[in-house]
Amino acid sequence: MSDDAAPWLIVGLGNPGAEYAGNRHNIGFMVVALLAERMRGKFKAHKARAQVVEGRMGPPGPANRRVVLAKPMSFMNLSGGPVTALRDFYKVPVDRIVAVHDELDIDYPTLRLKLGGGDNGHNGLKSMTKSLGAEYHRVRCGIGRPPGRMQVADFVLKDFSSTERKELDWFVDRAADSVECLIAEGLERAQSTYNS
């Protein structure tokens, strides 16, 4: 069971660098950036090879939680290293870690929240699970499958299409809402509200 004083660690998965900023693979970065904006926080470099924002999330009262937002700066397939270092630094139980990531097996723009599970070939999750075990929360942001014969790697490293971009702000906003709901009200409530 989690220690109530421990913060939540919300990790947006993505690749650092301007050339990746609009990629489908970087939706996790987009969601934590919006959460930081809502908390009026600025990302700062952390020795764990990550950018972090520390603050509080949720309504005033007992549901107001201490949180650390993080963007690992290690590239997607090495995310486990920075996340483990942050977990150790902030003393975060694994069940208070939330990975926000793109998901090929869910249609765009669909959200699914869950605790634990496999990595579905996602290199960021694979790296995290290898370092932490699988019992962390996931906010899975559906990006759908590549069209035709496009390779998965090419698809996830491309920017959202102009059609997708029409809904992207709404999708990122909804994903950020789902994280806030998960932290304040728990997984079941967040699933019943946001899983579609």
Side-chain angles (χ1 to χ4, degrees), residues 70-81:
K71 297 192 287 189
M73 291 287 116
S74 58
F75 286 95
M76 182 70 86
N77 54 358
L78 300 171
S79 302

Side-chain angles (χ1 to χ4, degrees), residues 72-176:
M73 291 287 116
S74 58
F75 286 95
M76 182 70 86
N77 54 358
L78 300 171
S79 302
V83 177
T84 303
L86 290 169
R87 175 203 64 188
D88 296 346
F89 182 84
Y90 290 104
K91 299 177 175 49
V92 180
V94 174
D95 66 353
R96 285 209 177 180
I97 296 174
V98 182
V100 185
H101 64 91
D102 58 309
E103 178 64 69
L104 288 159
D105 288 336
I106 301 173
D107 290 337
Y108 181 83
T110 304
L111 280 178
R112 298 261 166 79
L113 286 82
K114 70 174 188 173
L115 175 63
D119 58 50
N120 269 10
H122 191 291
N123 289 330
L125 295 180
K126 204 175 284 181
S127 177
M128 279 183 63
T129 297
K130 196 173 161 192
S131 300
L132 303 165
E135 290 308 300
Y136 53 89
H137 288 86
R138 295 108 194 273
V139 174
R140 305 157 76 206
C141 303
I143 59 168
R145 285 253 157 220
R149 296 187 172 183
M150 188 189 284
Q151 293 295 310
V152 164
D154 294 334
F155 179 68
V156 298
L157 293 174
K158 277 204 173 3
D159 285 2
F160 286 96
S161 70
S162 53
T163 311
E164 289 169 333
R165 279 199 296 271
K166 291 178 183 145
E167 291 183 288
L168 186 58
D169 286 349
W170 171 84
F171 190 29
V172 168
D173 200 57
R174 189 170 164 78

Side-chain angles (χ1 to χ4, degrees), residues 4-6 8 56-66 96 180 182-186:
D4 260 1
W8 283 76
R56 301 195 76 84
M57 184 180 284
N64 188 264
R65 310 271 187 226
R66 203 154 71 87
R96 285 209 177 180
E180 291 178 343
L182 168 64
I183 305 294
E185 301 182 60

